[in-house]
Amino acid sequence: RRCLLMKVLICSDTHGKQDLMKQVIEREKPFEVLVHAGDMEDQVICVLGYTDYQVRIVAGNCDYGLGYSREQFFDLGKFHTLLLHGNICGGMSCNPAHDLNPLCEYAKRKGADILIYGHTHVPKVVQRNHLLVINPGSLSLPRQENHEPSYAVLNIEGDDISCEIRYPLMKQE
């Protein structure tokens, strides 16, 4: 008996420049869920129209008046997932670029298996005390050393979970 495979596309910090996100969506289809970790700076319906996949998005520090919540808690397969932008957690100001511990501790208190955040514009996938921590980086304003736009793809098959950072503009070997 085969377990259900779920593919999740994770983006963040597109800051109103949605063309590359639209290209990535077309490249990665089919997938079940699009997660955006904030600073989209647009209404998602205006950018994507109606979709055949689920969309989860939170407000970033630049998403003024768009009506997004600051955090969402939902399941991806059997994994409890906390999505937030990363500049605020539990009502307190955070700086995940300098200290990831407050975000991880908050996620564990909420019962999360997966933490997805943005804000730093630097991609990261780490395992911390049975918590999978994912930052897809930024598609429009990357800040890591190579300054390449990035996103993440999460694959879930039963109890197995894997996440990969992808760079859509880098030459594929």
Side-chain angles (χ1 to χ4, degrees):
R1 195 171 93 165
R2 192 151 161 76
C3 293
L4 178 68
L5 179 68
M6 175 183 276
K7 180 178 179 183
V8 181
L9 176 60
I10 306 171
C11 302
S12 189
D13 297 282
T14 49
H15 289 281
K17 299 173 183 168
Q18 314 305 352
D19 289 346
L20 189 53
M21 184 175 72
K22 290 178 183 178
Q23 290 174 31
V24 163
I25 287 169
E26 289 307 310
R27 175 185 295 172
E28 294 296 341
K29 278 183 174 176
F31 53 87
E32 286 68 42
V33 184
L34 169 66
V35 173
H36 196 293
D39 281 354
M40 186 176 208
E41 294 189 46
D42 281 310
Q43 285 289 353
V44 71
I45 191 75
C46 296
V47 174
L48 302 176
Y50 293 98
T51 65
D52 58 354
Y53 47 85
Q54 193 180 123
V55 177
R56 298 287 189 164
I57 183 168
V58 291
N61 55 300
C62 296
D63 291 320
Y64 306 108
L66 295 174
Y68 301 133
S69 61
R70 289 213 174 269
E71 65 181 60
Q72 285 191 32
F73 195 70
F74 54 93
D75 288 338
L76 292 172
K78 64 177 260 177
F79 298 97
H80 304 306
T81 305
L82 176 62
L83 169 64
L84 41 70
H85 185 59
N87 61 313
I88 294 175
C89 77
M92 303 293 286
S93 182
C94 290
N95 188 345
H98 294 110
D99 187 3
L100 201 50
N101 288 327
L103 284 181
C104 292
E105 290 166 11
Y106 181 68
K108 288 310 279 182
R109 280 196 311 272
K110 301 239 353 154
D113 303 304
I114 301 170
L115 167 64
I116 301 171
Y117 73 102
H119 190 57
T120 67
H121 298 218
V122 176
K124 178 182 288 258
V125 177
V126 295
Q127 191 80 35
R128 287 253 182 117
N129 299 326
H130 308 290
L131 178 70
L132 179 61
V133 181
I134 303 166
N135 185 325
S138 173
L139 282 170
S140 65
L141 300 165
R143 291 183 183 147
Q144 75 277 22
E145 192 173 303
N146 65 9
H147 294 283
E148 286 292 331
S150 62
Y151 64 98
V153 173
L154 179 70
N155 287 299
I156 299 171
E157 191 168 1
D159 291 338
D160 295 329
I161 188 168
S162 63
C163 187
E164 174 186 0
I165 299 294
R166 296 188 179 168
Y167 300 89
L169 301 180
M170 287 182 121
K171 292 204 186 298
Q172 302 302 318
E173 299 297 320

PDB file of all heavy atoms in Angstrom, residues 45-75:
ATOM      1  N   ILE A  45      -5.127  36.792  -4.587  1.00  0.00           N
ATOM      2  CA  ILE A  45      -6.106  36.540  -5.655  1.00  0.00           C
ATOM      3  C   ILE A  45      -5.799  37.406  -6.875  1.00  0.00           C
ATOM      4  O   ILE A  45      -5.982  36.982  -8.015  1.00  0.00           O
ATOM      5  CB  ILE A  45      -7.561  36.739  -5.156  1.00  0.00           C
ATOM      6  CG1 ILE A  45      -8.568  36.214  -6.177  1.00  0.00           C
ATOM      7  CG2 ILE A  45      -7.851  38.187  -4.829  1.00  0.00           C
ATOM      8  CD1 ILE A  45      -8.665  34.733  -6.223  1.00  0.00           C
ATOM      9  N   CYS A  46      -5.289  38.612  -6.667  1.00  0.00           N
ATOM     10  CA  CYS A  46      -4.940  39.494  -7.783  1.00  0.00           C
ATOM     11  C   CYS A  46      -3.725  38.974  -8.549  1.00  0.00           C
ATOM     12  O   CYS A  46      -3.589  39.201  -9.747  1.00  0.00           O
ATOM     13  CB  CYS A  46      -4.656  40.908  -7.289  1.00  0.00           C
ATOM     14  SG  CYS A  46      -6.092  41.703  -6.568  1.00  0.00           S
ATOM     15  N   VAL A  47      -2.847  38.278  -7.861  1.00  0.00           N
ATOM     16  CA  VAL A  47      -1.629  37.764  -8.483  1.00  0.00           C
ATOM     17  C   VAL A  47      -1.877  36.419  -9.160  1.00  0.00           C
ATOM     18  O   VAL A  47      -1.497  36.204 -10.307  1.00  0.00           O
ATOM     19  CB  VAL A  47      -0.502  37.610  -7.429  1.00  0.00           C
ATOM     20  CG1 VAL A  47       0.726  36.939  -8.029  1.00  0.00           C
ATOM     21  CG2 VAL A  47      -0.143  38.965  -6.847  1.00  0.00           C
ATOM     22  N   LEU A  48      -2.549  35.505  -8.454  1.00  0.00           N
ATOM     23  CA  LEU A  48      -2.677  34.133  -8.929  1.00  0.00           C
ATOM     24  C   LEU A  48      -4.042  33.806  -9.521  1.00  0.00           C
ATOM     25  O   LEU A  48      -4.181  32.792 -10.202  1.00  0.00           O
ATOM     26  CB  LEU A  48      -2.398  33.150  -7.780  1.00  0.00           C
ATOM     27  CG  LEU A  48      -1.030  33.273  -7.121  1.00  0.00           C
ATOM     28  CD1 LEU A  48      -0.916  32.314  -5.955  1.00  0.00           C
ATOM     29  CD2 LEU A  48       0.089  33.042  -8.129  1.00  0.00           C
ATOM     30  N   GLY A  49      -5.043  34.631  -9.248  1.00  0.00           N
ATOM     31  CA  GLY A  49      -6.395  34.269  -9.659  1.00  0.00           C
ATOM     32  C   GLY A  49      -6.850  33.068  -8.842  1.00  0.00           C
ATOM     33  O   GLY A  49      -6.352  32.810  -7.748  1.00  0.00           O
ATOM     34  N   TYR A  50      -7.796  32.310  -9.386  1.00  0.00           N
ATOM     35  CA  TYR A  50      -8.260  31.109  -8.694  1.00  0.00           C
ATOM     36  C   TYR A  50      -7.319  29.960  -9.008  1.00  0.00           C
ATOM     37  O   TYR A  50      -6.858  29.820 -10.138  1.00  0.00           O
ATOM     38  CB  TYR A  50      -9.703  30.791  -9.089  1.00  0.00           C
ATOM     39  CG  TYR A  50     -10.648  31.839  -8.574  1.00  0.00           C
ATOM     40  CD1 TYR A  50     -11.085  32.870  -9.393  1.00  0.00           C
ATOM     41  CD2 TYR A  50     -11.055  31.841  -7.246  1.00  0.00           C
ATOM     42  CE1 TYR A  50     -11.923  33.867  -8.909  1.00  0.00           C
ATOM     43  CE2 TYR A  50     -11.890  32.832  -6.747  1.00  0.00           C
ATOM     44  CZ  TYR A  50     -12.314  33.842  -7.589  1.00  0.00           C
ATOM     45  OH  TYR A  50     -13.122  34.822  -7.103  1.00  0.00           O
ATOM     46  N   THR A  51      -7.016  29.171  -7.994  1.00  0.00           N
ATOM     47  CA  THR A  51      -6.017  28.115  -8.146  1.00  0.00           C
ATOM     48  C   THR A  51      -6.640  26.743  -7.905  1.00  0.00           C
ATOM     49  O   THR A  51      -7.677  26.620  -7.265  1.00  0.00           O
ATOM     50  CB  THR A  51      -4.871  28.304  -7.122  1.00  0.00           C
ATOM     51  OG1 THR A  51      -5.411  28.141  -5.801  1.00  0.00           O
ATOM     52  CG2 THR A  51      -4.231  29.681  -7.246  1.00  0.00           C
ATOM     53  N   ASP A  52      -5.969  25.716  -8.420  1.00  0.00           N
ATOM     54  CA  ASP A  52      -6.387  24.337  -8.165  1.00  0.00           C
ATOM     55  C   ASP A  52      -5.551  23.721  -7.049  1.00  0.00           C
ATOM     56  O   ASP A  52      -5.527  22.524  -6.861  1.00  0.00           O
ATOM     57  CB  ASP A  52      -6.326  23.492  -9.438  1.00  0.00           C
ATOM     58  CG  ASP A  52      -4.944  23.456 -10.061  1.00  0.00           C
ATOM     59  OD1 ASP A  52      -4.044  24.174  -9.578  1.00  0.00           O
ATOM     60  OD2 ASP A  52      -4.763  22.710 -11.037  1.00  0.00           O
ATOM     61  N   TYR A  53      -4.836  24.549  -6.311  1.00  0.00           N
ATOM     62  CA  TYR A  53      -4.069  24.123  -5.151  1.00  0.00           C
ATOM     63  C   TYR A  53      -4.427  25.044  -3.994  1.00  0.00           C
ATOM     64  O   TYR A  53      -4.953  26.141  -4.181  1.00  0.00           O
ATOM     65  CB  TYR A  53      -2.555  24.159  -5.435  1.00  0.00           C
ATOM     66  CG  TYR A  53      -2.074  25.432  -6.096  1.00  0.00           C
ATOM     67  CD1 TYR A  53      -1.760  26.553  -5.342  1.00  0.00           C
ATOM     68  CD2 TYR A  53      -1.954  25.512  -7.488  1.00  0.00           C
ATOM     69  CE1 TYR A  53      -1.328  27.725  -5.952  1.00  0.00           C
ATOM     70  CE2 TYR A  53      -1.528  26.680  -8.099  1.00  0.00           C
ATOM     71  CZ  TYR A  53      -1.222  27.784  -7.325  1.00  0.00           C
ATOM     72  OH  TYR A  53      -0.815  28.938  -7.929  1.00  0.00           O
ATOM     73  N   GLN A  54      -4.130  24.566  -2.784  1.00  0.00           N
ATOM     74  CA  GLN A  54      -4.399  25.352  -1.584  1.00  0.00           C
ATOM     75  C   GLN A  54      -3.310  26.419  -1.422  1.00  0.00           C
ATOM     76  O   GLN A  54      -2.154  26.180  -1.755  1.00  0.00           O
ATOM     77  CB  GLN A  54      -4.382  24.382  -0.393  1.00  0.00           C
ATOM     78  CG  GLN A  54      -4.938  24.935   0.874  1.00  0.00           C
ATOM     79  CD  GLN A  54      -4.876  23.881   1.969  1.00  0.00           C
ATOM     80  OE1 GLN A  54      -4.285  24.140   2.997  1.00  0.00           O
ATOM     81  NE2 GLN A  54      -5.448  22.712   1.752  1.00  0.00           N
ATOM     82  N   VAL A  55      -3.698  27.605  -0.940  1.00  0.00           N
ATOM     83  CA  VAL A  55      -2.727  28.682  -0.702  1.00  0.00           C
ATOM     84  C   VAL A  55      -2.761  29.048   0.774  1.00  0.00           C
ATOM     85  O   VAL A  55      -3.826  29.285   1.343  1.00  0.00           O
ATOM     86  CB  VAL A  55      -3.045  29.924  -1.556  1.00  0.00           C
ATOM     87  CG1 VAL A  55      -2.060  31.054  -1.236  1.00  0.00           C
ATOM     88  CG2 VAL A  55      -3.011  29.590  -3.038  1.00  0.00           C
ATOM     89  N   ARG A  56      -1.588  29.089   1.384  1.00  0.00           N
ATOM     90  CA  ARG A  56      -1.420  29.535   2.772  1.00  0.00           C
ATOM     91  C   ARG A  56      -0.464  30.715   2.749  1.00  0.00           C
ATOM     92  O   ARG A  56       0.647  30.596   2.228  1.00  0.00           O
ATOM     93  CB  ARG A  56      -0.830  28.423   3.636  1.00  0.00           C
ATOM     94  CG  ARG A  56      -1.681  27.183   3.748  1.00  0.00           C
ATOM     95  CD  ARG A  56      -2.852  27.463   4.636  1.00  0.00           C
ATOM     96  NE  ARG A  56      -3.593  26.243   4.935  1.00  0.00           N
ATOM     97  CZ  ARG A  56      -4.455  26.151   5.908  1.00  0.00           C
ATOM     98  NH1 ARG A  56      -4.696  27.179   6.702  1.00  0.00           N
ATOM     99  NH2 ARG A  56      -5.112  25.044   6.111  1.00  0.00           N
ATOM    100  N   ILE A  57      -0.890  31.848   3.294  1.00  0.00           N
ATOM    101  CA  ILE A  57      -0.054  33.045   3.289  1.00  0.00           C
ATOM    102  C   ILE A  57      -0.233  33.792   4.603  1.00  0.00           C
ATOM    103  O   ILE A  57      -1.326  33.779   5.173  1.00  0.00           O
ATOM    104  CB  ILE A  57      -0.376  33.959   2.085  1.00  0.00           C
ATOM    105  CG1 ILE A  57       0.557  35.171   2.053  1.00  0.00           C
ATOM    106  CG2 ILE A  57      -1.830  34.360   2.048  1.00  0.00           C
ATOM    107  CD1 ILE A  57       0.493  35.955   0.751  1.00  0.00           C
ATOM    108  N   VAL A  58       0.835  34.391   5.084  1.00  0.00           N
ATOM    109  CA  VAL A  58       0.779  35.225   6.286  1.00  0.00           C
ATOM    110  C   VAL A  58       1.306  36.614   5.959  1.00  0.00           C
ATOM    111  O   VAL A  58       1.980  36.819   4.950  1.00  0.00           O
ATOM    112  CB  VAL A  58       1.596  34.620   7.459  1.00  0.00           C
ATOM    113  CG1 VAL A  58       0.942  33.367   7.991  1.00  0.00           C
ATOM    114  CG2 VAL A  58       3.038  34.371   7.058  1.00  0.00           C
ATOM    115  N   ALA A  59       1.003  37.557   6.841  1.00  0.00           N
ATOM    116  CA  ALA A  59       1.460  38.933   6.681  1.00  0.00           C
ATOM    117  C   ALA A  59       2.916  39.048   7.088  1.00  0.00           C
ATOM    118  O   ALA A  59       3.330  38.539   8.128  1.00  0.00           O
ATOM    119  CB  ALA A  59       0.617  39.869   7.548  1.00  0.00           C
ATOM    120  N   GLY A  60       3.665  39.752   6.258  1.00  0.00           N
ATOM    121  CA  GLY A  60       5.024  40.132   6.612  1.00  0.00           C
ATOM    122  C   GLY A  60       5.034  41.575   7.078  1.00  0.00           C
ATOM    123  O   GLY A  60       3.985  42.233   7.101  1.00  0.00           O
ATOM    124  N   ASN A  61       6.190  42.067   7.430  1.00  0.00           N
ATOM    125  CA  ASN A  61       6.284  43.438   7.932  1.00  0.00           C
ATOM    126  C   ASN A  61       6.025  44.488   6.849  1.00  0.00           C
ATOM    127  O   ASN A  61       5.880  45.660   7.156  1.00  0.00           O
ATOM    128  CB  ASN A  61       7.640  43.673   8.610  1.00  0.00           C
ATOM    129  CG  ASN A  61       8.804  43.341   7.710  1.00  0.00           C
ATOM    130  OD1 ASN A  61       8.943  42.205   7.257  1.00  0.00           O
ATOM    131  ND2 ASN A  61       9.657  44.304   7.439  1.00  0.00           N
ATOM    132  N   CYS A  62       5.927  44.086   5.580  1.00  0.00           N
ATOM    133  CA  CYS A  62       5.622  45.029   4.492  1.00  0.00           C
ATOM    134  C   CYS A  62       4.229  44.812   3.897  1.00  0.00           C
ATOM    135  O   CYS A  62       3.890  45.428   2.882  1.00  0.00           O
ATOM    136  CB  CYS A  62       6.673  44.908   3.384  1.00  0.00           C
ATOM    137  SG  CYS A  62       8.335  45.383   3.905  1.00  0.00           S
ATOM    138  N   ASP A  63       3.427  43.941   4.472  1.00  0.00           N
ATOM    139  CA  ASP A  63       2.079  43.645   3.954  1.00  0.00           C
ATOM    140  C   ASP A  63       1.042  44.482   4.681  1.00  0.00           C
ATOM    141  O   ASP A  63       0.284  43.976   5.510  1.00  0.00           O
ATOM    142  CB  ASP A  63       1.761  42.148   4.101  1.00  0.00           C
ATOM    143  CG  ASP A  63       2.591  41.296   3.175  1.00  0.00           C
ATOM    144  OD1 ASP A  63       2.794  41.711   2.023  1.00  0.00           O
ATOM    145  OD2 ASP A  63       3.032  40.217   3.592  1.00  0.00           O
ATOM    146  N   TYR A  64       0.983  45.758   4.372  1.00  0.00           N
ATOM    147  CA  TYR A  64       0.081  46.669   5.067  1.00  0.00           C
ATOM    148  C   TYR A  64      -1.325  46.582   4.483  1.00  0.00           C
ATOM    149  O   TYR A  64      -1.502  46.680   3.271  1.00  0.00           O
ATOM    150  CB  TYR A  64       0.587  48.111   4.960  1.00  0.00           C
ATOM    151  CG  TYR A  64       2.006  48.271   5.430  1.00  0.00           C
ATOM    152  CD1 TYR A  64       3.033  48.507   4.527  1.00  0.00           C
ATOM    153  CD2 TYR A  64       2.334  48.146   6.778  1.00  0.00           C
ATOM    154  CE1 TYR A  64       4.345  48.649   4.948  1.00  0.00           C
ATOM    155  CE2 TYR A  64       3.633  48.280   7.217  1.00  0.00           C
ATOM    156  CZ  TYR A  64       4.633  48.527   6.293  1.00  0.00           C
ATOM    157  OH  TYR A  64       5.930  48.650   6.722  1.00  0.00           O
ATOM    158  N   GLY A  65      -2.313  46.403   5.346  1.00  0.00           N
ATOM    159  CA  GLY A  65      -3.706  46.477   4.939  1.00  0.00           C
ATOM    160  C   GLY A  65      -4.187  45.392   4.003  1.00  0.00           C
ATOM    161  O   GLY A  65      -5.206  45.564   3.335  1.00  0.00           O
ATOM    162  N   LEU A  66      -3.490  44.273   3.920  1.00  0.00           N
ATOM    163  CA  LEU A  66      -3.904  43.196   3.013  1.00  0.00           C
ATOM    164  C   LEU A  66      -4.785  42.166   3.695  1.00  0.00           C
ATOM    165  O   LEU A  66      -5.316  41.272   3.049  1.00  0.00           O
ATOM    166  CB  LEU A  66      -2.675  42.522   2.383  1.00  0.00           C
ATOM    167  CG  LEU A  66      -1.853  43.426   1.457  1.00  0.00           C
ATOM    168  CD1 LEU A  66      -0.581  42.730   1.005  1.00  0.00           C
ATOM    169  CD2 LEU A  66      -2.677  43.857   0.254  1.00  0.00           C
ATOM    170  N   GLY A  67      -4.926  42.257   5.014  1.00  0.00           N
ATOM    171  CA  GLY A  67      -5.833  41.373   5.732  1.00  0.00           C
ATOM    172  C   GLY A  67      -5.300  39.986   6.036  1.00  0.00           C
ATOM    173  O   GLY A  67      -6.043  39.121   6.481  1.00  0.00           O
ATOM    174  N   TYR A  68      -4.021  39.739   5.808  1.00  0.00           N
ATOM    175  CA  TYR A  68      -3.444  38.436   6.144  1.00  0.00           C
ATOM    176  C   TYR A  68      -3.211  38.348   7.644  1.00  0.00           C
ATOM    177  O   TYR A  68      -2.857  39.331   8.282  1.00  0.00           O
ATOM    178  CB  TYR A  68      -2.098  38.222   5.437  1.00  0.00           C
ATOM    179  CG  TYR A  68      -2.148  38.289   3.930  1.00  0.00           C
ATOM    180  CD1 TYR A  68      -1.217  39.033   3.222  1.00  0.00           C
ATOM    181  CD2 TYR A  68      -3.111  37.601   3.210  1.00  0.00           C
ATOM    182  CE1 TYR A  68      -1.237  39.094   1.845  1.00  0.00           C
ATOM    183  CE2 TYR A  68      -3.143  37.655   1.830  1.00  0.00           C
ATOM    184  CZ  TYR A  68      -2.206  38.401   1.152  1.00  0.00           C
ATOM    185  OH  TYR A  68      -2.229  38.461  -0.216  1.00  0.00           O
ATOM    186  N   SER A  69      -3.355  37.149   8.196  1.00  0.00           N
ATOM    187  CA  SER A  69      -3.049  36.947   9.612  1.00  0.00           C
ATOM    188  C   SER A  69      -1.533  36.897   9.789  1.00  0.00           C
ATOM    189  O   SER A  69      -0.791  36.645   8.841  1.00  0.00           O
ATOM    190  CB  SER A  69      -3.699  35.655  10.125  1.00  0.00           C
ATOM    191  OG  SER A  69      -3.196  34.543   9.410  1.00  0.00           O
ATOM    192  N   ARG A  70      -1.074  37.131  11.013  1.00  0.00           N
ATOM    193  CA  ARG A  70       0.368  37.114  11.300  1.00  0.00           C
ATOM    194  C   ARG A  70       0.934  35.703  11.344  1.00  0.00           C
ATOM    195  O   ARG A  70       2.131  35.501  11.134  1.00  0.00           O
ATOM    196  CB  ARG A  70       0.651  37.799  12.636  1.00  0.00           C
ATOM    197  CG  ARG A  70       0.457  39.290  12.565  1.00  0.00           C
ATOM    198  CD  ARG A  70       1.451  39.969  13.493  1.00  0.00           C
ATOM    199  NE  ARG A  70       1.389  41.396  13.357  1.00  0.00           N
ATOM    200  CZ  ARG A  70       2.133  42.097  12.501  1.00  0.00           C
ATOM    201  NH1 ARG A  70       2.972  41.484  11.716  1.00  0.00           N
ATOM    202  NH2 ARG A  70       2.030  43.402  12.443  1.00  0.00           N
ATOM    203  N   GLU A  71       0.080  34.731  11.666  1.00  0.00           N
ATOM    204  CA  GLU A  71       0.544  33.341  11.677  1.00  0.00           C
ATOM    205  C   GLU A  71      -0.609  32.414  11.338  1.00  0.00           C
ATOM    206  O   GLU A  71      -1.773  32.774  11.493  1.00  0.00           O
ATOM    207  CB  GLU A  71       1.172  32.961  13.012  1.00  0.00           C
ATOM    208  CG  GLU A  71       0.238  32.965  14.196  1.00  0.00           C
ATOM    209  CD  GLU A  71       0.942  32.595  15.490  1.00  0.00           C
ATOM    210  OE1 GLU A  71       1.890  33.298  15.893  1.00  0.00           O
ATOM    211  OE2 GLU A  71       0.523  31.608  16.110  1.00  0.00           O
ATOM    212  N   GLN A  72      -0.266  31.239  10.854  1.00  0.00           N
ATOM    213  CA  GLN A  72      -1.240  30.185  10.594  1.00  0.00           C
ATOM    214  C   GLN A  72      -0.688  28.881  11.143  1.00  0.00           C
ATOM    215  O   GLN A  72       0.523  28.639  11.089  1.00  0.00           O
ATOM    216  CB  GLN A  72      -1.505  30.017   9.093  1.00  0.00           C
ATOM    217  CG  GLN A  72      -2.353  31.090   8.484  1.00  0.00           C
ATOM    218  CD  GLN A  72      -2.795  30.714   7.072  1.00  0.00           C
ATOM    219  OE1 GLN A  72      -2.999  29.541   6.745  1.00  0.00           O
ATOM    220  NE2 GLN A  72      -2.939  31.710   6.226  1.00  0.00           N
ATOM    221  N   PHE A  73      -1.586  28.068  11.646  1.00  0.00           N
ATOM    222  CA  PHE A  73      -1.234  26.734  12.136  1.00  0.00           C
ATOM    223  C   PHE A  73      -2.119  25.750  11.384  1.00  0.00           C
ATOM    224  O   PHE A  73      -3.338  25.889  11.401  1.00  0.00           O
ATOM    225  CB  PHE A  73      -1.467  26.658  13.650  1.00  0.00           C
ATOM    226  CG  PHE A  73      -0.799  25.473  14.307  1.00  0.00           C
ATOM    227  CD1 PHE A  73       0.579  25.416  14.414  1.00  0.00           C
ATOM    228  CD2 PHE A  73      -1.547  24.434  14.800  1.00  0.00           C
ATOM    229  CE1 PHE A  73       1.203  24.331  15.022  1.00  0.00           C
ATOM    230  CE2 PHE A  73      -0.938  23.345  15.406  1.00  0.00           C
ATOM    231  CZ  PHE A  73       0.449  23.296  15.516  1.00  0.00           C
ATOM    232  N   PHE A  74      -1.521  24.805  10.675  1.00  0.00           N
ATOM    233  CA  PHE A  74      -2.279  23.883   9.832  1.00  0.00           C
ATOM    234  C   PHE A  74      -1.482  22.598   9.663  1.00  0.00           C
ATOM    235  O   PHE A  74      -0.311  22.536  10.052  1.00  0.00           O
ATOM    236  CB  PHE A  74      -2.589  24.518   8.470  1.00  0.00           C
ATOM    237  CG  PHE A  74      -1.383  25.041   7.742  1.00  0.00           C
ATOM    238  CD1 PHE A  74      -0.703  24.259   6.818  1.00  0.00           C
ATOM    239  CD2 PHE A  74      -0.905  26.325   7.980  1.00  0.00           C
ATOM    240  CE1 PHE A  74       0.419  24.741   6.155  1.00  0.00           C
ATOM    241  CE2 PHE A  74       0.210  26.820   7.321  1.00  0.00           C
ATOM    242  CZ  PHE A  74       0.873  26.020   6.403  1.00  0.00           C
ATOM    243  N   ASP A  75      -2.123  21.583   9.094  1.00  0.00           N
ATOM    244  CA  ASP A  75      -1.458  20.301   8.873  1.00  0.00           C
ATOM    245  C   ASP A  75      -1.035  20.156   7.420  1.00  0.00           C
ATOM    246  O   ASP A  75      -1.784  20.509   6.507  1.00  0.00           O
ATOM    247  CB  ASP A  75      -2.375  19.134   9.258  1.00  0.00           C
ATOM    248  CG  ASP A  75      -2.561  19.014  10.756  1.00  0.00           C
ATOM    249  OD1 ASP A  75      -1.709  19.526  11.504  1.00  0.00           O
ATOM    250  OD2 ASP A  75      -3.561  18.401  11.176  1.00  0.00           O
TER     251      ASP A  75
END
